[in-house]
Amino acid sequence: QEKDKDAYTSLTMANELMPESDQAKVDLGRQALSMLLKSRQRVDAYYKSADKMADQLLAKNPQSFEGLRIKAYLAMTGDEPTEAIAQFRKVLAVKPNDPELTTVLIQNLLIAKQDAEAEKLARESIPAMKTFGPLYDSLYSIYAKSGRVQDAQGILEQKIANNPKDSFAVIQLADHYQATKQGA
């Protein structure tokens, strides 16, 4: 906590000393966003700082990946998932196939009860992101939640096939078998 505050203070100072530096803006925006997401309640100073850095990056380049990324995460902190969904789609238009952002978009689609769209996006994304485990996990949760046992098993088997050195995926499949009383 204290290290985060020190980093935030240092990055704020760096941004003041180098107002033309995009990297200083990116670093401060990311730090403020990180602190905002870690806090139990919304800290307006962190929100405003991250938002300001995103605005400055987007003013210089409306397609700034970092500016759009910060805006998307800020939208996620609000109570309306449709705005977060729109923002994550914008940032993914700039950098398609970003596994982290794709997975967060899927999670926001699920929050907004757009399960079919979340499932479609996950299925379409796996071929380009075969090694990103959380993407499979998102799809597995969709299948498990809707009682689609065979689909859930299939996505875990696909995860293992695409990531043969991932021992955790094997444990997940064993847990799936245990939970569904298969393989006994």
Side-chain angles (χ1 to χ4, degrees):
Q1 188 84 320
E2 208 53 43
K3 288 181 182 181
D4 284 339
K5 288 181 183 178
D6 290 344
Y8 178 78
T9 301
S10 295
L11 290 168
T12 299
M13 187 177 300
N15 194 58
E16 290 170 5
L17 294 171
M18 301 181 298
E20 297 303 314
S21 170
D22 286 350
Q23 190 59 52
K25 290 173 182 43
V26 168
D27 292 344
L28 177 56
R30 281 184 170 225
Q31 182 66 27
L33 183 62
S34 174
M35 294 176 74
L36 177 66
L37 294 174
K38 286 180 187 177
S39 66
R40 296 188 196 278
Q41 63 237 22
R42 183 171 153 163
V43 179
D44 282 337
Y46 300 143
Y47 184 95
K48 288 177 183 176
S49 181
D51 193 45
K52 180 180 177 183
M53 294 304 102
D55 285 344
Q56 289 178 7
L57 289 164
L58 292 167
K60 193 170 181 179
N61 173 8
Q63 296 300 307
S64 165
F65 172 75
E66 289 295 339
L68 291 169
R69 180 185 172 280
I70 292 168
K71 285 287 191 182
Y73 276 105
L74 288 175
M76 195 175 79
T77 66
D79 292 331
E80 187 50 52
T82 54
E83 177 61 24
I85 290 167
Q87 291 295 331
F88 279 104
R89 287 180 197 236
K90 281 184 189 177
V91 71
L92 283 167
V94 172
K95 187 177 177 186
N97 299 327
D98 181 288
E100 173 197 331
L101 297 176
T102 300
T103 304
V104 175
L105 173 56
I106 290 166
Q107 297 302 323
N108 278 276
L109 287 165
L110 292 171
I111 291 166
K113 308 264 189 266
Q114 296 179 31
D115 293 17
E117 181 65 22
E119 178 184 348
K120 179 179 184 257
L121 177 59
R123 275 193 333 241
E124 290 174 352
S125 299
I126 284 177
M129 304 174 213
K130 291 179 180 179
T131 61
F132 194 69
L135 190 56
Y136 295 90
D137 299 340
S138 295
L139 194 51
Y140 177 82
S141 72
I142 293 168
Y143 293 150
K145 185 175 98 177
S146 61
R148 295 163 58 188
V149 174
Q150 291 302 331
D151 289 334
Q153 178 181 325
I155 199 61
L156 291 177
E157 290 169 348
Q158 184 180 1
K159 183 178 182 182
I160 292 167
N162 288 335
N163 301 279
K165 294 182 181 180
D166 183 0
S167 58
F168 181 68
V170 176
I171 294 169
Q172 286 179 296
L173 183 58
D175 286 346
H176 171 80
Y177 287 150
Q178 177 66 30
T180 60
K181 305 294 186 229
Q182 295 179 34

